Amino acid sequence: MTQEIDLSKLPPAEPYDKARDEAQRARLMKVWKTPTGWRRISAVNNSSVGKWYLLTSFAFFTFAGFLALLIRAQLAVPNNDLLSQSLYNQLFTLHGTAMMFLFAVPIFEAVAILILPEILGARDLPFPRLSAFGYWCFLIGGLFVCGSVFFGVAPDGGWFMYTPLSSDPDYSGLGADIWLLGLSFIEVSSIAAAVELIVGVLKSRPPGMRLNLIPLYCWYVLVVAGMILFAFPPLIAGDLLLEMERAFNWAFFDPDRGGDPLLWQHLFWIFGHPEVYIIFLPSIALIATILPTFAGRPMVGHSWIVLSAVGVAFLSFGLWVHHMFTTGLPEISLSFFSAASEAVAVPTGIQIFCFIATMLVSKVRRSVPMLFAGGALAIFVFGGLTGVMVALVPFDWQAHDSYFVVAHLHYTLIGGMLFPLFAGVHYWYPFVTQKRMSDKLGRWSFWLMFGGFNLAFLPMHWTGVMGMPRRVWTYDVSDGWAVLNMVSTIGAFIFASGFVVLAVNVLWPRGKAPLVERNLWNAGTMEWSAEVPDKPWGVRSIPYIHTRYPLWEQKELLGEMDRGEWFLPDAEEGKRELIITDILDARPLYVQRVGGPSYLTLGSAFCLGAVFILATFHLWTLTLLFGAGFIGFTLWWLWTGTSEIPEKPEKEAGRGLVLPTYAQGNNSPGWWAVFITMTGDMTAFMGLVFSYFFYWTALPDFLPGAARLPGFGWLLVGLALLLAGWVTALLARERLTAGGTGQAMALLVAGVPLGALGIGAWGWAARSAGFDPTETSFDATVWVLILWMGLHLLLDAVMRLYVAARVWRSRCTPRYRADSVNLTLFTHFLALTAVVIFALLALFPMLMGVV
Amino acid sequence: MRALGATATLTLLAGCSGRHNWLAAAGEEAQSVETLFWVVLAGAAVIWSLVIGAATYAHRAEAKPHREREARRFIIWGGVVLPVLVVCGLLVWGLLILRHITSDDGALTVRVDGERWWWRVIYDTPEGPVTTANEIRLPLGERTLFKLTADDVIHSFWVPALGGKMDMIPGRETTLALTPRKLGNWGGLCAEFCGGAHALMRFDAVVMEPGAFVRWLEQEARPAQVAEGDRGFAVFEEEGCGACHAIRGTEAQGPVGPDLTHLASRDKLGAGIYAMTPDNMARWITDTHEMKPDIDMPAYPGLQGERLDALVSFLMSLE
Amino acid sequence: MAPRNKTVPPGDAPRVIDQGSVWILVAAPSIWAAHFLLSYWVAAIWCAKLGRGTTLMEPRWIIAGLGALCIAAIIGLAVLAIRRYGGVFVIIEEITESSERARDRFVGHVALLLCVLSAVAILFTVIPGMVLGEC
């Protein structure tokens, strides 16, 4: 047992003193103030970044929706010549791409960044500047991808970009590069947000919020962010392979050179199916938060919902091949995925039954959010049932790539994601703006959208049954699809008009309208504790939470928080401060200081955006220049804003609680962020390992003969050097802890040439054996593994020099050595990567008897 | 505008064609799925009504404490036990159907190669392969095994009325078995987006009496009958058509485009998209990319008057 | 001046692994995932290396045997969830007290439910091998 600080037995608060309260409020205000005017773009606080994120995602949604209307207009009548074939192909590709990558996933991040800290009673997320960086990446990447359509070079290969259509420059042009690089860039920002949200839920909870007291919303955020961490990296690995083939003619997907087009489909759908649940679960989370409020009681089956969220998250990784049922894989392989696709219906159903059971045992208040939630249920259950149908292999052989599937996916995504999101918009609008939306317009928008949606998509199932394939820009009157398509088009426009009503309702200027009363829905979760009018600091003092619905069950809480009776009621040192707690029981661990407004993140995102955009056009010199700019800005940001040595080792956090002001190792959020990021990085690496074994399974002669293998000796030398580099990082940490700063610096710097020599030995092993990545898939795989190691060593070198410089300038000291600890953690993963690559290049061929 | 004219007629023609309908029961494989379809549809309707009914009731009803026991039963039986049993049953049934409709052999083997954006069709007969394009004739009641390949990008072979689809993937050979049960000209489509003119990559799947089929295949195997000094064939050669197209029995042996040996015996032109008429044929030659954008065949706008007429009538004579 | 309380609990990692309980939440679904991937690999490699139409007799029993092993492991986990974490089957009543014991029981409860779900999912994975006889 650990020594416990019993939070329920803290000394009482000091008596209320108006002058003290006002002074504290003024200091908090000064610290947390949002920059005004054009300086606002330097803001990093979650309420600013969250709002931008939300509005930008909806802007991309509107854009993609407009594309959908153009598509529907084209299909309204047979043999229509409104759009050309080439434009149509760009439009549907961009529609899917933008909806998935620029709306559905970012909106999860947007909502979570906006409300998660508030639900946790925190002042901000643990890495506010990282959120801002992620937002700017998202904006730049999104504009780049969407803007391409105005120059007629939008991607046109469908949103899942099947090879060889997307890999062979004869069949696809610049659009494919824009898709690959633009979206890789956005995926980086998604992963950044995922890291932030995981650490947020694990480490930024209010003191006392044990695992069993975490609100459902936070469980979902944790689960979904975890899924992003395991789902996006394989796609990034796939993007890397595909772009290497497109730009440098490496042989990954070309069957004539031992490649295989199906590899892309595997990597894409290992991402693509969990993606569906990454989109769906956060919206269900919104309903799970809204429903108890209107039912006026806690959710029935709280732990059952946690079970189903975790269960769905796992099972969703066993469904990817159900997008590949018609690729001629052995029936037995298909059947496993059919089985998992059926099994996932069970936890999904449990969530819905828990919702209904909650309504059953309570008296539900009617409201616009509940109307949208009800519409969501009706649509989603239908989509789920057609999902059970298409999970059956023989059924899918008919339905696959037909309009039946188009209808199915829109039922699941619009019912499972969009309608709950709109429920959330109506529910949290007063939280964000402190004004009320019009209920009347809310009902109008609901019925227009609900009616329009069903009119558009219900007949579409039948269009599919009548044999219309998806992604066709025209059809003939004799096909018999005309009436159904006309109905769908009318429905789509009604749906769009409903969205216009909603947009008007949201954007309507309400400057003079009265402010809402505090906690107007009488909700139980912490975000409604915000004062009206709201303050930039989030919570006046960070409370001790010992219930699931604090605003219902801790009656005195609001007053205590407002009077500053809980933790960190002040900002004496003029720093933005958060409380970091432990994972299991949310014991306070230390006071974290986070960065305030900054242009550095903006510069960093801009340079990284330029890198990806310039690489699309193969402007390599400029790409390198901006790459250096990105590294420069990022280092500057880290140097000035992270692991700062505090002016005093600990501080009074209120109520007699004294907490350290610095943490390292697994107490600190930074360590967890490195750990989680590197888990994602290993997943991407596993994507490459999967590719290796995929080729080995699919191609009988993937492994070349003994004469054509990289030299074992050189590979072994390389591995030894790389592991020696890892040891220098370990020793550097040891020496630093012991006070030997000079030795630590020397060891850190010595690791750089060791890494360079190590990767040089590997490169030589491949080169001297005559490996040419444009020749065969084995050669290309060997080189891509070496390239992967090389890129990581480059990062390793930058980090080593950075930490050495920090030691030199006494910003990383024997006592405050978080930088060194985090670097060591990074090198553990690097060493693991090196060992696995060595096993693939040297040991596995030997094991298979090639040598 | 073409669109307006089409709108006027669409109400008349809607729904009465159904040559791509899964539920036309024109093939044994499609029939298996059709049975499955109706059963799961009915089941889905019942489940949907029950769930939405329960939700509506729960939303409207007053709260009563004793309902907690009902709620517990509701979650256990409705949320856990029932779904497990239903999806388990469906899974087993689906697998049994899968086992039933897949096969590795057939009375007839047809190789189909997906091209951008047309179909190369090769019948394997004891006398050797017979090559044709964009129209597949099948004997009634006999299981045909399709061996599917592609050269350029992924396509997908689908005759909805006869059965499910199967992708055609460069570097692989996939197979699909279909057993026609109804005479007729059923539509075939490319179901996997293959770029450019994907929408215009169709074919006809014509189901014939077995006797008629054998006669057709014999006819199809014969070389073309080209008269000595045919004016149209001369134009065909002068314009270099033979570099891409083959007409068996002549010097035209181009392997790039569709085989034209018995072109005029096919029902449609341009990979299942236009009726095989002299007018369409002439337009196809002169305004190729108006009729089918992006295709590799070059247009011959300069080919007009008597030369064009001769070429068209020659092509229309290739029965 | 209020009395000072200087005791700060140790870091997370040791607690999450030993005394803490988070690992048991992901253990059962991870077993499902392992069984699923192994089944897929066994069948995929079998069919790829031996060709279409090969009988699935051996893979069928490998998959079923692995399934039995995995379900046994999951039963072990379930026993652990009940004994060590006090996992119980409840729906309406909830574990909402603020104490370490309650947190353990909550984790035990969710872990127990996940054990059931994972076992069912493993049974689902075994079904295809029983129905289909060849590649």
Side-chain angles (χ1 to χ4, degrees):
Chain A
M1 275 291 138
T2 53
Q3 316 92 316
E4 175 114 16
I5 305 165
D6 193 342
L7 292 168
S8 61
K9 297 203 179 77
L10 287 174
E14 289 169 35
Y16 182 69
D17 172 351
K18 189 150 194 298
R20 187 192 59 210
D21 183 35
E22 275 167 8
Q24 288 182 340
R25 282 173 176 262
R27 281 192 288 270
L28 278 175
M29 184 60 105
K30 184 155 175 279
V31 168
W32 289 94
K33 208 167 80 115
T34 308
T36 50
W38 61 272
R39 286 192 183 80
R40 219 189 140 88
I41 57 169
S42 69
V44 297
N45 185 240
N46 77 298
S47 51
S48 298
V49 174
K51 262 181 256 179
W52 300 340
Y53 230 128
L54 200 67
L55 288 173
T56 311
S57 310
F58 269 113
F60 286 127
F61 170 76
T62 311
F63 171 75
F66 182 70
L67 301 184
L69 290 182
L70 286 176
I71 290 171
R72 282 316 322 167
Q74 165 68 17
L75 292 178
V77 289
N79 299 318
N80 198 352
D81 52 8
L82 176 70
L83 304 175
S84 71
Q85 174 175 294
S86 148
L87 183 59
Y88 185 90
N89 291 346
Q90 294 179 39
L91 293 187
F92 78 72
T93 302
L94 210 49
H95 166 73
T97 302
M99 283 294 188
M100 287 294 187
F101 292 97
L102 305 181
F103 173 64
V105 174
I107 199 87
F108 151 66
E109 289 151 6
V111 173
I113 287 174
L114 194 59
I115 67 176
L116 181 73
E118 269 59 20
I119 288 187
L120 292 176
R123 294 220 168 102
D124 205 335
L125 287 165
F127 314 109
R129 289 184 175 178
L130 185 65
S131 323
F133 171 75
Y135 167 74
W136 292 111
C137 288
F138 163 59
L139 178 70
I140 295 168
L143 287 177
F144 176 55
V145 173
C146 290
S148 61
V149 76
F150 299 106
F151 301 91
V153 291
D156 60 357
W159 82 272
F160 31 81
M161 278 282 147
Y162 275 1
T163 53
L165 183 62
S166 62
S167 59
D168 191 327
D170 287 348
Y171 307 134
S172 47
L174 193 57
D177 297 310
I178 290 174
W179 190 94
L180 282 167
L181 289 162
L183 293 183
S184 299
F185 182 44
I186 290 166
E187 284 148 22
V188 170
S189 80
S190 290
I191 292 177
V195 171
E196 163 116 289
L197 294 172
I198 294 174
V199 179
V201 174
L202 293 181
K203 304 287 296 171
S204 296
R205 303 205 301 271
M209 188 188 272
R210 299 170 194 275
L211 284 185
N212 58 323
L213 303 179
I214 299 182
L216 285 173
Y217 181 75
C218 308
W219 274 110
Y220 277 106
V221 168
L222 181 63
V223 164
V224 172
M227 291 172 72
I228 289 181
L229 202 64
F230 288 101
F232 275 58
L235 179 61
I236 292 180
D239 285 351
L240 174 69
L241 301 186
L242 186 44
E243 192 51 40
M244 291 310 281
E245 171 147 348
R246 285 189 61 83
F248 305 109
N249 196 28
W250 287 27
F252 291 112
F253 305 107
D254 177 1
D256 295 337
R257 294 181 285 160
D260 194 329
L262 275 194
L263 173 62
W264 170 260
Q265 298 194 13
H266 280 287
L267 291 173
F268 186 88
W269 290 117
I270 291 173
F271 146 80
H273 201 88
E275 158 95 340
V276 174
Y277 289 89
I278 288 169
I279 291 169
F280 161 67
L281 290 177
S283 292
I284 287 298
L286 300 183
I287 295 192
T289 313
I290 294 170
L291 184 64
T293 298
F294 292 105
R297 62 154 288 148
M299 179 67 81
V300 170
H302 182 101
S303 358
W304 289 68
I305 290 179
V306 176
L307 142 92
S308 43
V310 177
V312 166
F314 271 87
L315 290 176
S316 71
F317 281 85
L319 311 184
W320 84 84
V321 169
H322 82 206
H323 298 268
M324 300 167 61
F325 276 172
T326 63
T327 53
L329 296 177
E331 284 86 38
I332 181 77
S333 300
L334 306 183
S335 309
F336 293 130
F337 290 88
S338 179
S341 308
E342 297 293 348
V344 80
V346 175
T348 311
I350 289 175
Q351 302 174 71
I352 289 171
F353 275 74
C354 286
F355 294 166
I356 298 176
T358 306
M359 296 199 288
L360 202 60
V361 294
S362 60
K363 172 90 185 100
V364 183
R365 272 186 287 155
R366 280 160 188 271
S367 65
V368 176
M370 283 304 288
L371 190 61
F372 274 97
L377 183 73
I379 295 171
F380 177 74
V381 170
F382 193 94
L385 289 165
T386 52
V388 168
M389 299 180 194
V390 293
L392 301 168
V393 181
F395 192 102
D396 186 69
W397 282 3
Q398 283 288 20
H400 184 70
D401 274 338
S402 78
Y403 263 86
F404 190 91
V405 162
V406 177
H408 157 71
L409 75 93
H410 284 91
Y411 262 81
T412 50
L413 291 178
I414 291 181
M417 184 262 172
L418 199 64
F419 273 74
L421 182 68
F422 288 156
V425 167
H426 285 86
Y427 180 73
W428 276 289
Y429 182 88
F431 162 73
V432 175
T433 65
Q434 320 254 307
K435 303 284 164 68
R436 274 193 87 114
M437 285 174 82
S438 154
D439 275 3
K440 190 173 170 195
L441 286 181
R443 279 191 293 273
W444 266 99
S445 63
F446 171 77
W447 287 110
L448 281 171
M449 282 195 277
F450 187 75
F453 170 79
N454 283 299
L455 191 63
F457 290 96
L458 195 60
M460 214 176 260
H461 293 96
W462 203 251
T463 319
V465 170
M466 297 296 287
M468 181 160 167
R470 71 197 282 197
R471 300 173 168 184
V472 293
W473 67 281
T474 187
Y475 55 91
D476 194 69
V477 70
S478 65
D479 292 323
W481 304 327
V483 171
L484 290 165
N485 272 295
M486 179 53 102
V487 172
S488 288
T489 300
I490 294 170
F493 277 87
I494 296 174
F495 182 64
S497 68
F499 178 70
V500 171
V501 174
L502 180 103
V504 168
N505 200 0
V506 169
L507 298 176
W508 193 262
R510 295 198 165 86
K512 293 203 177 109
L515 293 175
V516 292
E517 73 269 34
R518 197 174 189 180
N519 193 4
L520 84 161
W521 304 116
N522 188 22
T525 41
M526 282 295 292
E527 78 274 25
W528 296 101
S529 69
E531 292 174 49
V532 178
D534 65 342
K535 306 290 187 300
W537 57 61
V539 282
R540 171 74 181 82
S541 58
I542 299 167
Y544 161 55
I545 296 297
H546 52 83
T547 58
R548 267 188 199 160
Y549 296 87
L551 297 191
W552 289 344
E553 293 161 343
Q554 290 173 242
K555 294 290 181 205
E556 305 300 320
L557 192 68
L558 282 183
E560 292 168 0
M561 284 166 66
D562 287 355
R563 291 192 295 273
E565 291 178 6
W566 286 106
F567 307 116
L568 295 184
D570 202 346
E572 294 130 317
E573 297 90 6
K575 291 189 173 5
R576 295 189 171 193
E577 292 176 327
L578 316 175
I579 289 189
I580 296 300
T581 53
D582 86 325
I583 292 176
L584 295 179
D585 291 314
R587 297 172 170 88
L589 291 180
Y590 91 108
V591 174
Q592 185 200 10
R593 272 81 184 268
V594 297
S598 168
Y599 293 102
L600 294 173
T601 48
L602 193 56
S604 181
F606 176 77
C607 286
L608 186 59
V611 166
F612 278 96
I613 292 169
L614 293 165
T616 313
F617 298 98
H618 296 196
L619 301 168
W620 301 119
T621 319
L622 281 172
T623 305
L624 284 178
L625 216 60
F626 275 96
F630 165 66
I631 293 175
F633 270 112
T634 310
L635 290 182
W636 187 2
W637 154 22
L638 294 175
W639 186 276
T640 53
T642 59
S643 305
E644 270 184 280
I645 295 180
E647 73 293 341
K648 53 184 174 188
E650 55 188 25
K651 73 169 278 180
E652 171 92 27
R655 299 296 276 269
L657 189 69
V658 175
L659 292 175
T661 46
Y662 189 92
Q664 53 207 1
N666 61 53
N667 270 344
S668 80
W671 187 91
W672 283 98
V674 173
F675 181 79
I676 294 165
T677 310
M678 291 314 292
T679 307
D681 180 80
M682 283 310 276
T683 316
F685 177 59
M686 282 301 129
L688 298 181
V689 176
F690 173 88
S691 308
Y692 179 102
F693 284 105
F694 173 83
Y695 286 131
W696 175 73
T697 313
L699 309 168
D701 48 359
F702 173 62
L703 296 176
R708 279 229 341 97
L709 277 178
F712 186 83
W714 282 113
L715 288 175
L716 196 61
V717 168
L719 180 70
L721 288 165
L722 294 175
L723 292 180
W726 170 54
V727 172
T728 60
L730 297 184
L731 288 176
R733 189 189 59 183
E734 291 313 309
R735 294 316 305 150
L736 183 64
T737 313
T741 50
Q743 292 162 318
M745 279 191 282
L747 283 163
L748 284 170
V749 175
V752 177
L754 283 175
L757 288 173
I759 197 71
W762 279 8
W764 178 250
R767 210 188 134 85
S768 59
F771 274 55
D772 178 354
T774 61
E775 281 291 314
T776 70
S777 56
F778 184 75
D779 294 20
T781 310
V782 167
W783 275 112
V784 85
L785 288 169
I786 295 175
L787 176 72
W788 183 263
M789 193 72 221
L791 290 173
H792 282 71
L793 285 168
L794 210 58
L795 181 61
D796 179 60
V798 171
M799 286 168 66
R800 280 166 183 271
L801 296 176
Y802 171 82
V803 176
R806 298 275 288 185
V807 175
W808 181 45
R809 304 297 302 171
S810 298
R811 283 168 177 267
C812 177
T813 65
R815 178 160 182 196
Y816 298 110
R817 54 181 192 281
D819 294 323
S820 163
V821 176
N822 292 350
L823 171 69
T824 315
L825 178 62
F826 171 78
T827 58
H828 293 336
F829 284 92
L830 218 55
L832 184 60
T833 308
V835 170
V836 173
I837 293 179
F838 177 75
L840 293 182
L841 300 192
L843 301 182
F844 186 73
M846 208 189 273
L847 205 66
M848 288 294 114
V850 174
V851 177
Chain B
M1 246 172 79
R2 280 191 291 163
L4 287 176
T7 322
T9 47
L10 66 84
T11 19
L12 289 170
L13 286 151
C16 61
S17 144
R19 37 192 308 261
H20 303 105
N21 190 340
W22 312 349
L23 310 178
E28 194 175 309
E29 290 76 13
Q31 275 173 320
S32 302
V33 178
E34 185 177 346
T35 317
L36 182 65
F37 175 81
W38 288 116
V39 172
V40 291
L41 184 66
V46 171
I47 293 173
W48 188 85
S49 309
L50 287 177
V51 172
I52 300 306
T56 314
Y57 170 75
H59 187 261
R60 301 225 161 136
E62 292 291 325
K64 289 194 194 102
H66 74 261
R67 282 229 196 79
E68 298 213 338
R69 191 183 303 164
E70 290 168 29
R72 187 177 305 137
R73 279 197 205 131
F74 180 72
I75 292 178
I76 294 286
W77 294 101
V80 182
V81 178
L82 188 71
V84 169
L85 293 179
V86 168
V87 294
C88 190
L90 272 180
L91 176 66
V92 172
W93 191 27
L95 291 175
L96 289 171
I97 292 177
L98 181 65
R99 200 172 69 175
H100 174 68
I101 65 176
T102 48
S103 171
D104 282 339
D105 51 50
L108 174 71
T109 303
V110 182
R111 283 184 278 149
V112 184
D113 185 40
E115 306 272 350
R116 289 190 7 141
W117 291 271
W118 59 279
W119 315 82
R120 187 190 305 276
V121 180
I122 302 168
Y123 286 83
D124 279 331
T125 68
E127 292 76 37
V130 177
T131 305
T132 172
N134 300 332
E135 186 176 286
I136 298 170
R137 303 208 176 199
L138 298 170
L140 182 71
E142 285 178 26
R143 169 170 281 178
T144 302
L145 185 72
F146 290 92
K147 293 189 170 173
L148 307 170
T149 53
D151 251 0
D152 39 35
V153 302
I154 300 176
H155 304 276
S156 188
F157 178 90
W158 189 27
V159 189
L162 299 185
K165 60 182 72 65
M166 187 54 69
D167 292 353
M168 315 164 101
I169 301 169
R172 289 176 177 245
E173 185 189 82
T174 52
T175 58
L176 177 72
L178 293 177
T179 317
R181 289 282 178 225
K182 267 189 197 169
L183 296 176
N185 182 345
W186 306 106
L189 313 142
C190 176
E192 183 64 75
F193 180 68
C194 50
H198 162 65
L200 302 174
M201 184 172 169
R202 305 278 194 95
F203 63 94
D204 286 331
V206 183
V207 179
M208 313 170 80
E209 291 290 356
F213 172 78
V214 170
R215 285 193 294 282
W216 170 83
L217 190 56
E218 278 169 7
Q219 162 66 20
E220 198 69 17
R222 287 192 197 111
Q225 306 294 313
V226 179
E228 196 70 30
D230 185 296
R231 173 76 186 118
F233 182 63
V235 176
F236 185 88
E237 287 197 302
E238 286 157 26
E239 297 292 340
C241 305
C244 293
H245 293 284
I247 299 176
R248 273 176 280 130
T250 74
E251 276 157 25
Q253 293 298 332
V256 181
D259 183 290
L260 303 181
T261 310
H262 300 286
L263 172 66
S265 70
R266 295 177 205 151
D267 199 42
K268 297 228 173 59
L269 175 66
I273 53 174
Y274 293 102
M276 185 68 76
T277 63
D279 283 354
N280 281 339
M281 183 67 82
R283 274 186 63 212
W284 183 263
I285 294 164
T286 56
D287 298 325
T288 319
H289 299 114
E290 301 287 307
M291 298 188 78
K292 191 162 172 173
D294 290 355
I295 62 173
D296 284 340
M297 175 171 153
Y300 292 81
L303 194 59
Q304 292 294 345
E306 172 269 337
R307 293 183 76 231
L308 179 64
D309 294 344
L311 179 59
V312 168
S313 59
F314 162 67
L315 291 171
M316 295 304 292
S317 74
L318 293 171
E319 297 232 349
Chain C
M1 199 71 194
R4 294 186 154 232
N5 189 342
K6 283 200 177 196
T7 42
V8 168
D12 281 305
R15 302 192 64 235
V16 171
I17 295 163
D18 334 320
Q19 167 216 354
S21 26
V22 176
W23 66 271
I24 201 173
L25 282 181
V26 290
S30 299
I31 291 177
W32 163 81
H35 177 255
F36 182 82
L37 283 179
L38 276 174
S39 305
Y40 169 60
W41 280 335
V42 166
I45 292 175
W46 185 268
C47 290
K49 301 291 175 198
L50 296 177
R52 280 196 103 78
T54 316
T55 167
L56 280 171
M57 255 326 164
E58 291 87 345
R60 168 187 294 181
W61 296 116
I62 294 172
I63 290 165
L66 279 176
L69 273 180
C70 289
I71 289 179
I74 286 177
I75 291 173
L77 281 173
V79 170
L80 193 65
I82 294 170
R83 293 233 178 109
R84 182 159 157 199
Y85 297 107
V88 279
F89 263 119
V90 289
I91 297 176
I92 307 282
E93 345 37 284
E94 270 290 349
I95 305 156
T96 55
E97 312 92 72
S98 173
S99 69
E100 284 198 14
R101 186 62 194 147
R103 180 254 294 157
D104 266 351
R105 283 180 53 229
F106 171 78
V107 171
H109 182 203
V110 176
L112 191 59
L113 296 177
L114 279 166
C115 285
V116 176
L117 178 69
S118 306
V120 170
I122 287 177
L123 287 178
F124 269 63
T125 312
V126 176
I127 292 175
M130 296 295 140
V131 179
L132 297 176
E134 51 189 45
C135 288

